[in-house]
Amino acid sequence: GQNIDQPTEMTATEGAIVQINCTYQTSGFNGLFWYQQHAGEAPTFLSYNVLDGLEEKGRFSSFLSRSKGYSYLLLKELQMKDSASYLCAVEYGNKLVFGAGTILRVKS
Amino acid sequence: GAVVSQHPSWVICKSGTSVKIECRSLDFQATTMFWYRQFPKQSLMLMATSNEGSKATYEQGVEKDKFLINHASLTLSTLTVTSAHPEDSSFYICSARDPLGLAGGAGTDTQYFGPGTRLTVL
């Protein structure tokens, strides 16, 4: 199978920086997505990485190392509204395979 | 851009009835749409890939006769849960792929998700 591993839960303080890691099986890899999902809602697109390196988009950045099968999502200047589940999804062929998600709790 | 709608947003039905869920891409044409199911506190599980003008491709373990998918146009796919049972109660989410990357500015092949449909079967 295509095991996609990410931490189950993380807690961080408002204004801080948090890094959410994701590891995946490299065989058949076509690209990696990060989505944010609030409880009871559908996922919203955050970032897409297909080449090695860092993609920055405002307070959110995503990094990819294809050789290591590793990605991380970096959230800066955390806000309370960032409390959500963050899903790492890897594209194998035409399909997206999702990790179980990391629940991020931002505390004041 | 890149808006995907789903209807209904929630539905409660009796066991044995059928329920149809619609998924529409509002500002782009999607030759491929996907149907996912998400149980509480679990991640999204792909059920099937819906291709415009052809039969859907189902994932292993998903009954194609129970979950009927129709993708009649480039902007509409429907999922019909036939003879629903309580164990079918779940959050059903569709996504649409923007093949040209025009609508959302996130590059080609990004999947954009609908708001989901919460199905409760009594």
Side-chain angles (χ1 to χ4, degrees):
Chain A
Q2 297 121 346
N3 294 327
I4 298 173
D5 293 317
Q6 50 182 132
T8 305
E9 294 183 12
M10 299 182 73
T11 301
T13 304
E14 193 174 15
I17 299 173
V18 70
Q19 177 175 312
I20 303 174
N21 297 324
C22 173
T23 59
Y24 61 90
Q25 181 180 311
T26 58
S27 177
F29 173 86
N30 278 346
L32 187 145
F33 295 81
W34 283 96
Y35 286 87
Q36 180 191 62
Q37 186 179 27
H38 286 99
E41 299 179 10
T44 55
F45 171 81
L46 291 179
S47 68
Y48 172 61
N49 294 73
V50 65
L51 301 175
D52 289 350
L54 188 68
E55 294 281 342
E56 296 186 76
K57 189 184 295 184
R59 295 190 298 115
F60 291 37
S61 303
S62 57
F63 172 83
L64 177 68
S65 169
R66 288 173 299 171
S67 62
K68 295 181 179 178
Y70 168 70
S71 173
Y72 67 72
L73 178 70
L74 193 71
L75 294 81
K76 303 175 186 175
E77 301 170 17
L78 279 175
Q79 302 175 10
M80 299 299 289
K81 67 178 183 179
D82 296 330
S83 294
S85 181
Y86 291 85
L87 308 176
C88 173
V90 178
E91 189 167 36
Y92 294 101
N94 279 333
K95 302 176 186 177
L96 272 187
V97 178
F98 283 82
T102 299
I103 296 173
L104 174 65
R105 293 188 176 87
V106 180
K107 58 180 182 179
S108 57
Chain B
V3 178
V4 176
S5 70
Q6 256 182 266
H7 178 80
S9 55
W10 61 269
V11 57
I12 301 173
C13 68
K14 293 182 179 180
S15 185
T17 59
S18 294
V19 175
K20 179 186 281 187
I21 303 170
E22 293 186 349
C23 177
R24 294 179 186 272
S25 57
L26 299 185
D27 50 2
F28 62 99
Q29 294 183 328
T31 53
T32 305
M33 292 183 172
F34 302 86
W35 287 96
Y36 295 85
R37 182 166 51 183
Q38 186 177 34
F39 291 106
K41 298 187 179 181
Q42 295 185 24
S43 193
L44 282 74
M45 296 299 295
L46 180 65
M47 298 175 66
T49 302
S50 170
N51 300 297
E52 187 268 337
S54 64
K55 292 183 178 180
T57 304
Y58 290 81
E59 295 301 298
Q60 192 172 7
V62 178
E63 299 175 58
K64 61 181 181 181
D65 293 331
K66 181 172 180 62
F67 298 99
L68 302 178
I69 291 173
N70 183 280
H71 194 156
S73 78
L74 287 172
T75 59
L76 173 65
S77 175
T78 60
L79 168 69
T80 301
V81 183
T82 62
S83 186
H85 291 284
E87 57 265 31
D88 298 323
S89 298
S90 187
F91 192 48
Y92 291 85
I93 308 174
C94 73
S95 71
R97 173 175 281 152
D98 179 7
L100 301 179
L102 298 177
T108 59
D109 292 340
T110 297
Q111 288 187 34
Y112 295 94
F113 287 83
T117 297
R118 186 160 302 282
L119 171 64
T120 302
V121 185
L122 302 177

